Amino acid sequence: MKELLLIIIASSIVNNVVLSQFLGICPFLGVSKKIDTAAGMGGAVIFVIAISSFVTGLIYKFILVPTGFVYLQTIVFILVIAALVQFVEMFLKKNVPSLYKALGVYLPLITTNCAVLGVALNNVTNGYNILQGVVYGVGTAIGFTIAIVIMAGIREKIEYNDIPEPFKGTAIVLVTASLMAIAFTGFSGVI
């Protein structure tokens, strides 16, 4: 139990997927304009990463390794992730149309979100069993959600500030992201 707790803390805060590993930057920068949208994207990413960690772990352990097709892991993981994102997209379109419209093009981009694929590949690289892989995936997705919601909150606050012209728009967002990354390095001594 202690090991699982360490995995979830390390993956969500200490080695934050966006601010430490720089994976998932596209939705992080694109969807972090409003807190509601950022939280919705975080929820979708949590669901996709949790389920994909479980499914890819099963496929890797029970299909790819026994058959000797480990070299196909990236292609198989991408197909699994794409199928899960399609499921989430259909669910949101039917049940939460406002969030579906707010996420727009970024929802299908979860398929190519390198954070989702990175979790599946890190599970294999780190030698995690299926439970550890799911915990790592959920922790990573929680870390993504924390980062994107914090960024959205900051962006909402600085939207009406007097920012020098060269720093308006993307520049101030990148400066903010870099300061957040520096702040998160303070957690590196925790684990």
Side-chain angles (χ1 to χ4, degrees), residues 7-25 27-28 32 38-39 41-47 49-50 113 115-116 119 134-152 177 180-181 184 187:
I7 289 173
I8 201 163
I9 290 172
S11 62
S12 62
I13 297 180
V14 177
N15 298 318
N16 187 285
V17 70
V18 176
L19 302 173
S20 174
Q21 299 175 26
F22 306 111
L23 298 173
I25 297 291
F28 174 71
S32 62
M41 175 61 104
V45 169
I46 288 172
F47 177 78
I49 288 181
N113 185 346
V116 181
V119 167
V134 171
V135 169
Y136 175 76
V138 169
T140 300
I142 289 170
F144 177 85
T145 304
I146 290 169
I148 197 170
V149 168
I150 290 173
M151 175 59 94
M180 285 176 60
F184 268 68
F187 295 115

Side-chain angles (χ1 to χ4, degrees), residues 74-127:
T74 304
I75 295 169
V76 171
F77 292 172
I78 289 171
L79 292 174
V80 168
I81 292 164
L84 289 171
V85 170
Q86 289 301 313
F87 173 73
V88 170
E89 190 172 3
M90 290 185 304
F91 175 81
L92 289 179
K93 189 174 186 177
K94 183 176 181 177
N95 297 318
V96 192
S98 60
L99 180 59
Y100 175 79
K101 288 178 185 172
L103 291 175
V105 71
Y106 293 101
L107 186 59
L109 283 178
I110 294 175
T111 303
T112 58
N113 185 346
C114 53
V116 181
L117 180 60
V119 167
L121 295 174
N122 282 342
N123 286 339
V124 171
T125 304
N126 294 335

Side-chain angles (χ1 to χ4, degrees), residues 1-12 135 190-191:
M1 189 64 168
K2 181 180 175 185
E3 182 181 350
L4 296 178
L5 183 61
L6 288 175
I7 289 173
I8 201 163
I9 290 172
S11 62
S12 62
V135 169
V190 173
I191 294 180

